[in-house]
Amino acid sequence: MTSILGLSGFYHDSAAVLIIDGEIVAAAQEERFSRVKHDPSFPRQAVEYCLAEAGLTNAQIDYVGFYEKPLLKFDRLLQTYVSYAPSGFRSFARAMPNWLKQKLHLPSIIRKELGGNYRKQIVFTRHHQSHAASAFFPSPFEEAAILTVDGVGEWSTATFGVGRGNQIELTHELRFPHSLGMLYSAFTYYCGFEVNSGEYKLMGLAPYGEPVYADLIRNKLITLKPDGSFRLNLDYFRYCQGLTMTSPKFDRLFGHARRQPESDLKQHYRDMAASVQLVTEEILLNMVQHLYKITGLNNLCMAGGVALNCVANGRILREGPFDNVWIQPAAGDAGGALGVAIFIWHQLMNQARNPDSADSMRGSLLGPSFSTNIAAEKLKATGANYEELGEVELLKRVAELLADGKIVGWMQGRMEFGPRALGSRSILADPRRAEMQSRLNQTIKLRESFRPFAPAVLQEYASEFFNIEAGQTSSYMQFVADVQSRLIKTGNEEGTIVNLFQLPAITHVDQSARLQTVDGAYNPRFAKLLSTFHQLTGCPVLINTSFNVRGEPIVCSPEDAYLCFTKTDMDVLVVEDLLFIKDEQTRLK
């Protein structure tokens, strides 16, 4: 038996992954345990969970891998600071203490964090090599083209190559400071959202605007080439040398200063979001067109933070040249922990690879689970009131509550690995109710009112409700698709033409949705709930949003779930076989 521990950390979204004989046994982000959003610290609790899941100790680990090369990254930082001296001194002075104290000493820190019991080899892969490995090796393909795109690793900001069998080879790269991820993050910053966490807000905001600044971006900020490569005009950016993403020249070009966080979202910022989203999609389409021309392969695998842009992914699937597209569900830095571990197994140890016909991610349900008995024991101490029900009765009750307009916190089985709730740590609601979108945002999620919600749909009905091909899957919420036009009726209300959606709570303003298809293979109880709701209402779709409130990680434990339930206007909580009704919680009255 060979056990490999993969680690990512010390920037954002620290994670640990354990692979035994090539099988992904456990994976989790540190934030789910520490309750610190995007926790960058060493993933101590995630490591403890992974080892406990396998019944191993630190001393029994055969290999440890880290998802990037810190010395190469340090080289990039030093060269960048020297190139922009003296203007980058403040940024340099802020970064250096952390590097000199911690990041340059990772081998000794890793050994110390593992209790001093691990004395074997520590493998460091390149950042985009880890992304590429996480994209291809778990995929269902024997061979595929690989594209990785993010902010920056060590020097690379995008790479592409080919995976065949148990080997990957990256043949081309785009290098810092020219970065599609940095371009998108600069607009995220300019529109008043937080870099490295607010990019999905920018994507959700884009449909509320018009891409009126797209030509200005193309003509002033970026020089595009037919192969998808580009150069940024760095006069408009400050991420190389400063503590901000954009420069005063950027503000002058677009005629407005940066939006202050939490202030009103004027139309200008909506149009800025629409513009950079369109340009991002165009660049990615150019990249995949060129990659297809170079490789001639029919399958594409993607990873890196930009691969979480599901609107662009939808266009790649519909308009790109590849027949099949598979995207790592933990495409960001957390997935790098998986990439380095599986790279060691296949590429460095030359172990055979037998692709699964779906994929080898187990539905990305790789985190902790809690039995009904354990959940009951943990929650008794809170004074919680609950019923314990058999599965058939539980599903019937929950479906009826959903159909009655109740909002349900749903915690079942193993926690998801990656940024998206997939039916194990989810908040569920009826998508047919127009008020659900604003109610969920304002009283449950406590977040911006423009944010859309994803639909979870039974796989066999997906093409009836969404504009996708029959049999096409989106099991990890990787793709945005349009709602079927037949579901959109045009009516006349007091002389004004309005759109009346049959699924208004999951239909975005551009008539699209980021869908999750559910077939029950890895999360059978969630599929059964959808089926029960369908039998009751005729609708095989539910709203599925992550079980958390703004600023907090997705819940991990029963205690996390109950706390979130009690401090929001959530009506119902389900933890395994336990049913909690808000009105019956005497301690809250």
Side-chain angles (χ1 to χ4, degrees), residues 72-91:
L72 191 57
K73 188 171 184 176
F74 188 64
D75 173 67
R76 187 253 300 169
L77 290 172
L78 285 181
Q79 290 198 41
T80 301
Y81 290 138
V82 168
S83 297
Y84 286 90
S87 61
F89 179 75
R90 286 180 62 204
S91 179

Side-chain angles (χ1 to χ4, degrees), residues 456-466 468-475 484 486 515-521 523-524 526-535 538-541:
V457 56
L458 287 169
Q459 176 67 58
E460 59 265 37
Y461 295 100
S463 60
E464 294 184 23
F465 285 80
F466 304 97
I468 62 174
E469 295 182 6
Q472 181 187 319
T473 64
S474 180
S475 54
Q484 284 283 13
R486 67 177 178 80
L515 71 154
Q516 176 197 5
T517 56
V518 181
D519 65 8
N523 200 336
F526 188 43
K528 289 176 183 177
L529 177 62
L530 280 163
S531 295
T532 306
F533 185 76
H534 179 221
Q535 291 165 13
C539 177
V541 184

Side-chain angles (χ1 to χ4, degrees), residues 168-415:
I168 61 172
E169 181 183 10
L170 298 179
T171 55
H172 297 72
E173 69 172 353
L174 188 65
R175 289 171 68 87
F176 186 84
H178 307 289
S179 165
L180 184 56
M182 288 294 194
L183 174 68
Y184 204 85
S185 290
F187 278 76
T188 300
Y189 168 85
Y190 176 81
C191 290
F193 303 124
E194 188 174 348
V195 173
N196 290 328
S197 67
E199 284 76 7
Y200 56 92
K201 298 182 183 181
L202 194 74
M203 182 179 66
L205 181 64
Y208 290 90
E210 296 293 332
V212 296
Y213 299 107
D215 282 340
L216 205 54
I217 295 172
R218 297 185 193 105
N219 295 332
K220 295 292 186 178
L221 298 190
I222 192 166
T223 302
L224 298 171
K225 298 180 181 179
D227 63 358
S229 64
F230 57 86
R231 293 185 66 83
L232 296 179
N233 185 339
L234 298 175
D235 292 342
Y236 293 96
F237 303 96
R238 280 285 177 86
Y239 58 80
C240 287
Q241 73 273 34
L243 300 176
T244 64
M245 293 296 294
T246 57
S247 71
K249 190 172 181 179
F250 187 101
D251 296 356
R252 292 194 296 270
L253 177 67
F254 293 105
H256 291 74
R258 178 200 179 208
R259 170 182 170 257
Q260 291 303 306
E262 308 303 327
S263 64
D264 290 341
L265 269 165
K266 297 178 180 178
Q267 189 60 40
H268 168 73
Y269 301 103
R270 301 176 187 213
D271 293 340
M272 289 287 279
S275 301
V276 75
Q277 177 64 34
L278 177 61
V279 173
T280 297
E281 293 167 16
E282 292 171 347
I283 292 170
L284 287 170
L285 282 168
N286 284 344
M287 286 182 174
V288 299
Q289 292 282 359
H290 182 68
L291 182 53
Y292 178 76
K293 181 179 178 181
I294 293 294
T295 65
L297 298 174
N298 294 321
N299 304 317
L300 172 66
C301 297
M302 294 176 61
V306 176
L308 291 170
N309 192 310
C310 51
V311 178
N313 296 342
R315 288 195 64 185
I316 289 171
L317 188 64
R318 294 189 302 273
E319 303 172 34
F322 291 95
D323 295 337
N324 306 294
V325 180
W326 191 86
I327 299 167
Q328 166 56 234
D333 279 8
L338 168 62
V340 63
I342 206 164
F343 183 87
I344 292 170
W345 175 254
H346 287 304
Q347 191 126 341
L348 298 187
M349 297 181 65
N350 198 30
Q351 294 291 331
R353 173 176 171 268
N354 299 303
D356 188 284
S357 58
D359 59 50
S360 60
M361 288 295 298
R362 295 185 172 188
S364 211
L365 305 179
L366 299 163
S369 63
F370 300 84
S371 68
T372 296
N373 289 339
I374 290 175
E377 182 180 326
K378 288 178 176 293
L379 293 178
K380 278 178 183 176
T382 68
N385 295 320
Y386 57 82
E387 292 180 77
E388 183 174 346
L389 301 172
E391 182 175 74
V392 173
E393 178 62 20
L394 178 72
L395 296 176
K396 180 175 180 291
R397 287 278 302 278
V398 174
E400 290 171 346
L401 288 162
L402 287 164
D404 193 39
K406 306 302 183 188
I407 295 174
V408 177
W410 178 260
M411 176 179 168
Q412 300 288 320
R414 297 185 72 176
M415 182 178 66

